[in-house]
Amino acid sequence: MRRVSVPRSVVAGAVTSAAAVALALGSSAPATADPPPAATTEFQVPVRHIAGCIPGLFVCISVPPLTTVTPTATTGAPGEVTFAAKPPTRTWTGLSGCLEVTVHWLNLTTGSAGTTALRPVPYDYSRPYTPDDWCRYTPATAVTGSGTIAASADIGVAGPWEYRILVTPGVGIIPVP
């Protein structure tokens, strides 16, 4: 039995032609402009900080540890990003237990920029406290425009009897439709 070989270029040409015909014919279904599904991206670098109270009027029980807050960005509607944050790591519930997170964003495609604040959800004292209630953030939506968004996050300003030390700001790159 004699073996017949087909040159690779012939096979590649046939595959390319079939793909071109399939694209040209397309689907018989009408084209729709459905918005892309929402996608959530965690910041690649979370916010890390140390916060505590200054001894004096208040009694500080222990040295506060390093706390980590991971901001997220959810894209849904074209040109909009909803920033949120997961509850921080919690090992110390001192005076400054839940800090505001500030997100600064820059659209690298258009040059537009802005700032938004992620504020802690106020505690609901009308029902029993559960650990899941501790330090949740209110999401904030920003109209960034479509393109690649570079965002950084840090913590709010300290009050008169506390200190806040930003160890690393949060950083995230978000593609926005």
Side-chain angles (χ1 to χ4, degrees):
M1 179 176 213
R2 184 171 174 222
R3 186 172 173 175
V4 177
S5 68
V6 178
R8 289 183 186 172
S9 61
V10 172
V11 174
V15 170
T16 304
S17 297
V21 169
L23 286 174
L25 294 177
S27 171
S28 61
T32 59
D34 290 334
T40 300
T41 304
E42 285 187 0
F43 277 36
Q44 289 81 7
V45 178
V47 178
R48 290 193 171 95
H49 65 85
I50 298 171
C53 63
I54 298 171
L57 181 61
F58 298 101
V59 177
C60 294
I61 298 171
S62 64
V63 175
L66 180 66
T67 302
T68 302
V69 179
T70 304
T72 62
T74 302
T75 59
E80 289 186 354
V81 178
T82 300
F83 293 103
K86 294 181 175 184
T89 57
R90 178 184 164 205
T91 54
W92 185 73
T93 56
L95 179 65
S96 56
C98 191
L99 306 180
E100 183 176 288
V101 175
T102 304
V103 177
H104 311 275
W105 57 268
L106 170 66
N107 187 323
L108 299 175
T109 307
T110 65
S112 62
T115 300
T116 188
L118 304 177
R119 292 186 171 81
V121 174
Y123 293 118
D124 180 8
Y125 294 106
S126 66
R127 59 187 178 84
Y129 172 82
T130 65
D132 291 338
D133 293 333
W134 187 81
C135 200
R136 292 178 294 126
Y137 288 94
T138 303
T141 301
V143 179
T144 61
S146 298
T148 301
I149 306 299
S152 66
D154 57 24
I155 54 175
V157 179
W161 293 101
E162 58 187 9
Y163 62 89
R164 298 177 183 183
I165 302 168
L166 181 65
V167 177
T168 58
V171 177
I173 302 294
I174 305 109
V176 179

